[in-house]
Amino acid sequence: YALYFNNKYGTVGHVFQGRFGSEPLLEEERGIPRVLNYIHYNPVKASIVEKQADYPFSSAGFYEGKKSYIEQLKKIDYDRSITDREFETYKGVIGTKEEYEKLLKRKPTRKKSKHKERRKKKLEEKLKALLREHDLDMEVFFRKRSKEEKKRLSKVLKALIKNGYSQSSIARLINRSQTTVYNMLHVKK
């Protein structure tokens, strides 16, 4: 996707590279009460309740010494389908032990993508073809190279980069560090 995105919009690098530009909310521990008050005041601001502690989905009541979050949930009468049965808790989660165990047994419905495997295989095939084209083999990565071999290897790696493969993916494929791949790319003349 990153290759597609970068080609379409003329950008480079990771699609989501860099920080997203938010300001840190808390720089010191003493700011925690201010942030908690802000969060707890939101239901009052939205005219859902009159006092912070009255909002059942908030921990404000707990801080004021009222009943726990679970006890407050038991009193909710917003939705009959929820309040028809008593709230049960198991391991701090709302629900029965059976529901908790059922949740743990859930299997993901989507199969894992084989995209990475296919891309790695394509890279390997492309690398081997370019090596053959430049009269090199895979062993060139693991032995001492002549100046001529270094130049040809650099051309191979540059062709891979031009085809959209990253230095890190090449490094993983040949079991070398990114620094080593960088040095192979940039041969001193």
Side-chain angles (χ1 to χ4, degrees):
Y1 178 75
L3 293 172
Y4 160 79
F5 185 90
N6 288 339
N7 285 334
K8 183 174 181 180
Y9 296 104
T11 58
V12 295
H14 301 290
V15 175
F16 303 107
Q17 80 181 19
R19 228 172 154 264
F20 59 91
S22 72
E23 293 293 323
L25 189 58
L26 285 174
E27 292 183 13
E28 295 180 14
E29 216 174 293
R30 64 181 180 192
I32 292 175
R34 195 180 83 216
V35 171
L36 279 174
N37 188 49
Y38 170 80
I39 292 168
H40 290 149
Y41 187 70
N42 278 334
V44 176
K45 191 175 173 183
S47 301
I48 298 171
V49 291
E50 287 184 27
K51 292 187 279 181
Q52 296 174 352
D54 293 341
Y55 189 62
F57 301 104
S58 169
S59 58
F62 173 77
Y63 288 111
E64 292 181 12
K66 293 188 177 179
K67 291 187 176 182
S68 74
Y69 174 73
I70 302 299
E71 292 301 315
Q72 288 182 14
L73 279 177
K74 287 180 181 179
K75 293 181 180 178
I76 297 175
D77 205 16
Y78 293 97
D79 184 355
R80 277 276 145 224
S81 64
I82 292 175
T83 56
D84 283 346
R85 70 178 174 101
E86 278 290 306
F87 278 98
E88 298 178 46
T89 60
Y90 181 74
K91 291 195 176 186
V93 178
I94 297 173
T96 63
K97 180 179 179 179
E98 292 77 26
E99 290 170 327
Y100 179 79
E101 288 172 348
K102 186 178 177 183
L103 180 70
L104 291 180
K105 288 180 183 177
R106 279 195 330 195
K107 293 181 181 174
T109 56
R110 202 174 80 181
K111 292 180 181 177
K112 284 190 175 181
S113 171
K114 301 216 180 210
H115 173 74
K116 285 183 181 179
E117 291 173 27
R118 288 193 305 267
R119 185 151 171 81
K120 183 179 178 182
K121 189 170 177 118
K122 276 185 175 180
L123 170 59
E124 188 173 9
E125 291 169 358
K126 184 77 172 167
L127 174 61
K128 286 180 179 179
L130 285 167
L131 287 172
R132 279 192 304 274
E133 190 178 306
H134 288 85
D135 197 29
L136 297 168
D137 59 13
M138 287 295 282
E139 294 301 314
V140 74
F141 295 109
F142 307 102
R143 67 172 183 251
K144 192 167 176 93
R145 296 172 287 281
S146 68
K147 281 188 176 184
E148 186 56 39
E149 282 181 322
K150 287 179 183 179
K151 287 178 185 176
R152 287 184 283 159
L153 182 57
S154 177
K155 288 179 182 177
V156 167
L157 296 175
K158 285 177 182 174
L160 289 173
I161 300 289
K162 190 175 180 181
N163 277 294
Y165 295 103
S166 67
Q167 288 183 33
S168 59
S169 61
I170 297 168
R172 276 192 303 276
L173 179 67
I174 64 173
N175 202 20
R176 292 286 179 247
S177 70
Q178 288 185 50
T179 305
T180 303
V181 172
Y182 178 86
N183 290 336
M184 288 177 189
L185 266 166
H186 304 289
V187 178
K188 295 176 185 170
K189 296 181 181 187

